[in-house]
Amino acid sequence: MIPIGPSPRNTWRVSGEAADLVRPAIAPRPVTVAARPKRVTFDLARSAILVIDMQNDFCHRDGWLASIGVDVAPARAPIAPLCALLPLLRAASVPVVWVNWGSRPDRLNLSPALLHVYNGSGAGAGLGDPLPGTGSPVLQTGAWSAQVVDELAPDPRDIRIDKHRMSGFWDTPLDSILRNLRVDTLFFAGVNLDQCVLHTMADANFAGFDTLLVEDCAATTNPDFCRQATILNIHQIFGFTLASTDLMEAMSP
């Protein structure tokens, strides 16, 4: 019989006369890690990491946020810990999924309300408008502004999702891709913690995924009370938080 399916983890075996619907067994790889508010054991074989919006417009000193006077130093803080963590996850065959803001060039997937959020006066450089310094259209798919920062250059094995809302699950194939990978547990990283990271994590939790935030791999350019409130909400509602160093130590042989 011939295997058929979107990924090696999610396949049938078929012939002209029969179909075997039993998916391949995925041997569990339990890992126990120090986390908050309690210790967590998860299955590494059924896990993925979502890295959200680590893009030039949010994290580069020539990007959109910097151009409107935002200090992007906090948004760059996750770069170093992610540089250490992501190769270890890839080596363990954990999917790395980049969930990046990437609007259509014609902006037909953006509402006036959403455009207003990013260009309140209507006279500034909002979504899809060229930045005065670089000329790159703000957060437009395929443009320099929407690319992952150079320090975190994605691996060819990684998966990319373009989003156009705060949540990476809204009107994107993210849910389908994760289910075809037969993933149950999601780690979260990126910016802004209290906006796109939180909303994507909330939707993942509502959809039935286990959700854990890697605290030092996520950040916000907003005041620290926003970070504190987000961590509190995660502990009370959405799951757990942990440090990348504790995760790497727990994964070590």
Side-chain angles (χ1 to χ4, degrees), residues 155-174:
D155 186 276
R157 296 167 291 177
D158 296 347
I159 299 162
R160 181 188 171 104
I161 303 290
D162 286 328
K163 67 179 177 68
H164 49 277
R165 294 292 189 274
M166 293 288 178
S167 171
F169 284 90
W170 179 262
D171 195 25
T172 77
L174 179 57

Side-chain angles (χ1 to χ4, degrees), residues 63-78:
W64 173 63
L65 281 188
S67 77
I68 59 175
V70 175
D71 178 9
V72 297
R76 296 184 58 79

Side-chain angles (χ1 to χ4, degrees), residues 58-156:
F58 295 127
C59 305
H60 196 284
R61 294 180 179 90
D62 293 327
W64 173 63
L65 281 188
S67 77
I68 59 175
V70 175
D71 178 9
V72 297
R76 296 184 58 79
I79 292 175
L82 280 169
C83 284
L85 176 62
L86 295 182
L88 186 65
L89 292 174
R90 293 186 186 107
S93 298
V94 174
V96 175
V97 185
W98 300 92
V99 184
N100 288 344
W101 196 290
S103 305
R104 289 169 55 99
D106 59 14
R107 293 185 270 204
L108 285 176
N109 53 358
L110 304 175
S111 68
L114 189 63
L115 290 167
H116 176 260
V117 169
Y118 294 91
N119 188 1
S121 70
L127 295 173
D129 296 322
L131 282 179
T134 66
S136 183
V138 173
L139 293 172
Q140 180 175 296
T141 186
W144 172 87
S145 52
Q147 291 175 2
V148 174
V149 292
D150 288 344
E151 296 92 333
L152 293 173
D155 186 276

Side-chain angles (χ1 to χ4, degrees), residues 2-253:
I2 298 172
I4 184 171
S7 80
R9 294 177 169 215
N10 190 19
T11 59
W12 293 355
R13 290 176 59 81
V14 301
S15 69
E17 297 76 33
D20 180 352
L21 312 189
V22 179
R23 269 76 165 174
I26 301 175
R29 289 185 285 161
V31 173
T32 300
V33 61
R36 295 194 296 156
K38 63 178 70 176
R39 183 176 64 254
V40 171
T41 300
F42 67 94
D43 187 355
L44 189 65
R46 300 290 293 266
S47 300
I49 185 168
L50 306 187
V51 187
I52 298 168
D53 288 353
M54 293 300 296
Q55 300 166 263
N56 287 324
D57 262 354
F58 295 127
C59 305
H60 196 284
R61 294 180 179 90
D62 293 327
W64 173 63
L65 281 188
S67 77
I68 59 175
V70 175
D71 178 9
V72 297
R76 296 184 58 79
I79 292 175
L82 280 169
C83 284
L85 176 62
L86 295 182
L88 186 65
L89 292 174
R90 293 186 186 107
S93 298
V94 174
V96 175
V97 185
W98 300 92
V99 184
N100 288 344
W101 196 290
S103 305
R104 289 169 55 99
D106 59 14
R107 293 185 270 204
L108 285 176
N109 53 358
L110 304 175
S111 68
L114 189 63
L115 290 167
H116 176 260
V117 169
Y118 294 91
N119 188 1
S121 70
L127 295 173
D129 296 322
L131 282 179
T134 66
S136 183
V138 173
L139 293 172
Q140 180 175 296
T141 186
W144 172 87
S145 52
Q147 291 175 2
V148 174
V149 292
D150 288 344
E151 296 92 333
L152 293 173
D155 186 276
R157 296 167 291 177
D158 296 347
I159 299 162
R160 181 188 171 104
I161 303 290
D162 286 328
K163 67 179 177 68
H164 49 277
R165 294 292 189 274
M166 293 288 178
S167 171
F169 284 90
W170 179 262
D171 195 25
T172 77
L174 179 57
D175 185 80
S176 296
I177 287 171
L178 294 174
R179 297 190 190 281
N180 277 321
L181 292 170
R182 297 179 67 190
V183 162
D184 298 322
T185 299
L186 299 177
F187 292 92
F188 288 82
V191 296
N192 274 313
L193 170 59
D194 52 325
Q195 296 179 356
C196 292
V197 177
L198 176 62
H199 286 290
T200 304
M201 189 177 197
D203 277 353
N205 177 272
F206 299 154
F209 294 98
D210 308 325
T211 53
L212 300 95
L213 175 75
V214 188
E215 284 195 46
D216 55 327
C217 292
T220 181
T221 55
N222 288 321
D224 189 62
F225 66 78
C226 298
R227 182 192 65 82
Q228 294 179 33
T230 301
I231 297 298
L232 176 65
N233 274 323
I234 290 171
H235 290 166
Q236 290 189 338
I237 305 171
F238 301 124
F240 310 91
T241 68
L242 71 163
S244 65
T245 49
D246 289 333
L247 179 56
M248 291 187 290
E249 180 179 351
M251 290 173 56
S252 299

